Amino acid sequence: MRRVSGPGKFLCGVLLMLAALPLQARVLRMEVDALRSGAANLQGVDVRLDWRDGASTGELSLDARRLDVPALGQVHQGLRWRCPLSRDDAGRWRCEGQVRSDAGAGRLQVALSGEAIDAMFASAGASLDYGWQAGAPDRHRVDLRAVPVAWLEAFLASLWEAGQWGSGRLDGRVDLQLPADAPLRAQADLVLADVGVDTPDGWLAAAGMHGRLRLAYAQPGGQTAVDLHYSARGGEFLVGSLYVPLPDAPVELALALRGGDDGWRVPAFSWKDGRVLEAAGSARLDTAGTLADLDLSLSLGELATARDRYLSGYLAPAGFADLVLAGEARARLVLAGGELDSLSLGLERLTAIDPRQRFTLAGLHGDLRWTAGTEPVAGALAWDSAALFGIGLGHANMPFRSAGGQLLLVSPVSVAALEGHIRLDQLRWQPPGGGNGARFQLGATLEALDLGSLSQRLGWPPFTGTLGGRIPSARYEGNVLTLDGGLAMQAFGGTVSLSELVMERPFGVAPTLSAAVAIDDVDMEPMTAAFGFGSITGRMDGRIAGLRMVDWSPVAFDAWLGSDESWKGRRRISQRAVEDISKVGGGGGLMGGLQAQALRLFDDFRYARLGLGCRLRDNVCVMSGVGSAGDGYTIVEGAGLPRIQVVGFRRRVDWPTLVARLKAATEGQNPVIE
């Protein structure tokens, strides 16, 4: 147990020692090698009384080499007290004077008789009053006035060994029962001012705590019993991930603790913070301090306030530090044997807005119920409107059923989106348990979603066509989203398919995505028009393999876009497209039978094939084309007359440079062609 400094801990020992002295003895001097009582032990005691003949007062001196107070965990060295001793009309002896020990100094005033001891210790504006009655020799009363917490740290540590007490002051009363043959019993009624406490492992920390604390501590039958009521008025505390800045308005905490060889039980606890948060329940911790059983009921009547006061410690690590919440919620959670047994969640008029525009929910309401038991329970969840990454979602009403540890969607649900529908075919959720994390699985079908509307909401070029496809199964586990199957977009007369999609931390910090993209038979004429690129006719195929994005920016891929060799129709490329491709190729040139200046006389040209590839690694693209041209690569291979050939001369291009070239080309900035 840690030792503390300060005059207060000295007082506790001295006053308990006085209770053990033979107070009726009238001696000039007493030397005692050791003095023991149920309250304190003294070694090397020397008491001297000097009383001159005819004087109304005497001079009392008390010295002790060592004082031990086992009940309070205190040890003092070199105790010394000097005071004038007198007797009042009621027969009580009184003495007041300076007292010192290795712990500090102060002023001690004592009034004693055979029936009672009253004493007061004061130092630096703080005081401790002590009272003892012969009729109840095991009981001791201490009144505190602006007492620093450090004065009582050893006593508090005897109640809670892991607590490390810091700043703050206490007012109020502590009643101690210290029988010689029984454990300590204590009752306290204290007013806290700016009190701080923490634990060595950092699991709990509190600062600036103001309020009233009522505490009862006992050890009946070798067990430990603590009953606590705290009315908080300000301050802040951290318990695990729960960070709470307390309001100035009162917040009421009630807690009962019962400890024994099998761990700790919490028969009842409650927390009342107006309508913001009401919590009540019971719990049990095993011998290792692990939560084994819990029955917890919560009611959050003002989520807008509860979000900052109680939820920020959970939202921020999950990536929702600035999430806007409103509405009401209630919940009940039951743990049995360390495993989740049942869970229910009720929502009313809940609104959740992500300022980063990842999602929005409005009018969320319903009751969800989950059970580990075999008897099914029903629930439902609905919203009035919603949005996901800027894509509006219509009204939805989802029926659920739970049994055997799973929450299942009862029947498919269709939601209007992008002039089409998203149908949720199946949904399954399992909470953490059995050594596994939470698991989430769904299947969905996209039906004729308008690609033009999607492009507008995501800031893409004005694509045309529809988006459709089926996701047989999307699994979310360990903060990783994995899609089985794929998505297919019908765009520009062709198909763009997405497969092998895996997303880590989709709603967290720096989300990552990996996927493969296949492009088949896309009509290049409307596509180049949509991108603001020069006109190209014909069909295009392509692929993007090994795509990996971090925070929605590409960091690796192997991409190829090229003309469809099986296309039998017209293959024409405009002069503007030649210039744009030359720009993307990195200052490439036109090569052919005619000079580039002569080529400017024509609006478009025939081509045999065209293609451009990029292998991105370490922020550098290794470029390729339909063929080699010395140290360069051919991007466009011409056909007929006038014959053209567009060549890129730099095979290694910084990715930001390539992005800037693509942007310049699609914005119509004409490059210089050599």
Side-chain angles (χ1 to χ4, degrees):
M1 192 170 295
R2 297 193 344 265
R3 295 182 57 189
V4 299
S5 62
K9 74 171 190 177
F10 153 75
L11 170 67
C12 295
V14 171
L15 296 182
L16 291 174
M17 181 275 298
L18 287 175
L21 284 177
L23 298 175
Q24 279 122 8
R26 309 178 89 190
V27 297
L28 295 176
R29 184 175 181 182
M30 180 177 65
E31 294 182 358
V32 181
D33 290 335
L35 177 64
R36 294 181 174 86
S37 73
N41 301 321
L42 283 162
Q43 297 179 16
V45 182
D46 187 345
V47 180
R48 179 187 298 273
L49 175 61
D50 293 325
W51 200 304
R52 291 175 301 177
D53 291 341
S56 59
T57 62
E59 186 70 26
L60 178 67
S61 301
L62 186 150
D63 295 272
R65 184 177 71 254
R66 179 185 174 94
L67 168 65
D68 294 277
V69 188
L72 303 185
Q74 297 181 359
V75 177
H76 308 275
Q77 306 284 349
L79 187 148
R80 183 179 179 85
W81 181 35
R82 302 290 182 267
C83 65
L85 179 65
S86 63
R87 195 171 189 179
D88 62 17
D89 295 338
R92 290 177 299 183
W93 293 98
R94 295 183 178 276
C95 210
E96 180 180 357
Q98 289 291 316
V99 62
R100 298 180 182 276
S101 77
D102 64 333
R107 192 163 188 84
L108 176 63
Q109 174 184 320
V110 176
L112 54 89
S113 66
E115 292 76 29
I117 298 175
D118 291 295
M120 182 182 72
F121 175 81
S123 176
S127 67
L128 280 168
D129 291 342
Y130 170 81
W132 173 87
Q133 300 289 329
D138 296 335
R139 297 181 180 178
H140 308 267
R141 187 202 73 242
V142 180
D143 292 307
L144 302 85
R145 295 180 181 87
V147 171
V149 171
W151 287 19
L152 300 176
E153 185 173 7
F155 167 67
L156 295 171
S158 70
L159 303 180
W160 182 28
E161 187 173 358
Q164 296 181 341
W165 300 87
S167 62
R169 301 177 306 281
L170 300 173
D171 288 89
R173 172 174 290 189
V174 177
D175 291 300
L176 304 174
Q177 190 169 350
L178 302 169
D181 56 353
L184 163 74
R185 297 175 65 92
Q187 286 189 325
D189 189 348
L190 302 171
V191 176
L192 282 61
D194 199 30
V195 172
V197 63
D198 58 26
T199 57
D201 59 6
W203 180 78
L204 180 144
M209 301 295 287
H210 294 262
R212 181 183 180 188
L213 174 66
R214 284 170 284 177
L215 175 71
Y217 176 89
Q219 291 182 312
Q223 305 292 302
T224 299
V226 179
D227 291 285
L228 176 149
H229 184 274
Y230 180 54
S231 181
R233 290 183 176 270
E236 57 184 340
F237 68 86
L238 176 71
V239 180
S241 297
L242 175 64
Y243 168 71
V244 179
L246 289 164
D248 293 333
V251 175
E252 306 294 334
L253 167 65
L255 177 67
L257 285 171
R258 301 294 182 266
D261 295 337
D262 58 348
W264 286 92
R265 292 184 300 108
V266 184
F269 64 86
S270 65
W271 180 279
K272 295 183 180 180
D273 181 5
R275 292 189 68 251
V276 178
L277 174 62
E278 292 187 28
S282 60
R284 181 178 67 86
L285 285 77
D286 60 22
T287 54
T290 303
L291 185 62
D293 300 320
L294 174 67
D295 189 342
L296 171 64
S297 295
L298 296 171
S299 176
L300 296 98
E302 299 176 3
L303 276 172
T305 303
R307 179 249 175 276
D308 293 328
R309 193 172 296 173
Y310 296 103
L311 304 179
S312 61
Y314 301 100
L315 293 174
F320 305 117
D322 49 0
L323 182 67
V324 178
L325 285 176
E328 301 179 19
R330 62 187 181 279
R332 185 182 179 193
L333 184 149
V334 177
L335 294 178
E339 298 288 341
L340 187 60
D341 183 71
S342 65
L343 175 66
S344 63
L345 175 65
L347 303 172
E348 295 182 21
R349 304 183 307 278
L350 186 142
T351 297
I353 301 173
D354 178 17
R356 297 172 61 182
Q357 299 182 346
R358 291 171 293 184
F359 66 89
T360 299
L361 290 169
L364 189 64
H365 58 281
D367 290 282
L368 280 179
R369 300 175 64 194
W370 176 92
T371 179
T374 57
E375 186 67 27
V377 295
L381 189 66
W383 65 69
D384 296 334
S385 62
L388 185 64
F389 294 105
I391 301 170
L393 303 174
H395 169 77
N397 192 344
M398 296 177 287
F400 288 95
R401 181 181 69 251
S402 178
Q406 297 188 72
L407 180 68
L408 300 171
L409 185 68
V410 174
S411 58
V413 176
S414 184
V415 181
L418 298 173
E419 302 182 24
H421 289 85
I422 299 175
R423 191 179 72 238
L424 191 60
D425 298 320
Q426 52 116 342
L427 185 149
R428 182 181 71 174
W429 176 76
Q430 292 177 272
N436 298 316
R439 285 164 285 178
F440 183 87
Q441 184 173 339
L442 64 83
T445 301
L446 309 183
E447 301 175 340
L449 304 186
D450 183 62
L451 194 53
S453 299
L454 178 63
S455 302
Q456 182 181 12
R457 284 160 177 77
L458 298 182
W460 293 352
F463 294 165
T464 59
T466 60
L467 172 63
R470 184 170 181 268
I471 305 172
S473 176
R475 303 183 307 277
Y476 183 78
E477 185 174 359
N479 213 13
V480 176
L481 176 66
T482 304
L483 268 68
D484 295 334
L487 293 175
M489 293 185 290
Q490 305 302 316
F492 307 118
T495 303
V496 179
S497 302
L498 183 69
S499 61
E500 302 176 21
L501 191 146
V502 176
M503 187 179 297
E504 302 175 25
R505 303 177 302 279
F507 297 108
V509 178
T512 65
L513 178 146
S514 59
V517 181
I519 302 168
D520 183 55
D521 208 30
V522 168
D523 190 341
M524 287 191 283
E525 188 170 16
M527 185 193 72
T528 52
F531 278 101
F533 208 75
S535 175
I536 305 175
T537 64
R539 295 284 176 163
M540 180 182 73
D541 296 332
R543 59 174 172 75
I544 305 176
L547 172 63
R548 182 169 176 80
M549 304 177 73
V550 176
D551 204 12
W552 310 112
S553 295
V555 295
F557 59 74
D558 189 352
W560 170 260
L561 299 175
S563 54
D564 184 351
E565 295 186 2
S566 63
W567 173 248
K568 303 301 183 181
R570 296 176 68 247
R571 297 173 181 248
R572 306 291 293 184
I573 180 169
S574 70
Q575 185 184 109
R576 161 73 189 282
V578 170
E579 294 172 345
D580 289 342
I581 291 176
S582 179
K583 172 78 172 178
V584 173
L590 297 175
M591 300 177 62
L594 298 176
Q595 296 294 326
Q597 291 83 351
L599 293 179
R600 296 186 182 277
L601 300 175
F602 298 90
D603 293 329
D604 58 16
F605 313 92
R606 287 180 60 198
Y607 69 89
R609 55 180 183 157
L610 59 83
L612 186 65
C614 167
R615 185 176 184 272
L616 177 64
R617 298 291 188 276
D618 299 325
N619 221 30
V620 173
C621 255
V622 178
M623 309 295 292
S624 61
V626 295
S628 297
D631 293 334
Y633 55 95
T634 302
I635 303 173
V636 180
E637 180 181 295
L641 293 175
R643 190 178 186 89
I644 63 167
Q645 187 171 351
V646 180
V647 177
F649 291 124
R650 297 186 59 187
R651 287 189 176 271
R652 296 178 60 86
V653 181
D654 290 342
W655 173 246
T657 301
L658 183 59
V659 171
R661 291 174 183 172
L662 287 168
K663 183 177 179 182
T666 56
E667 290 178 350
Q669 301 174 20
N670 292 328
V672 176
I673 302 178
E674 298 178 356

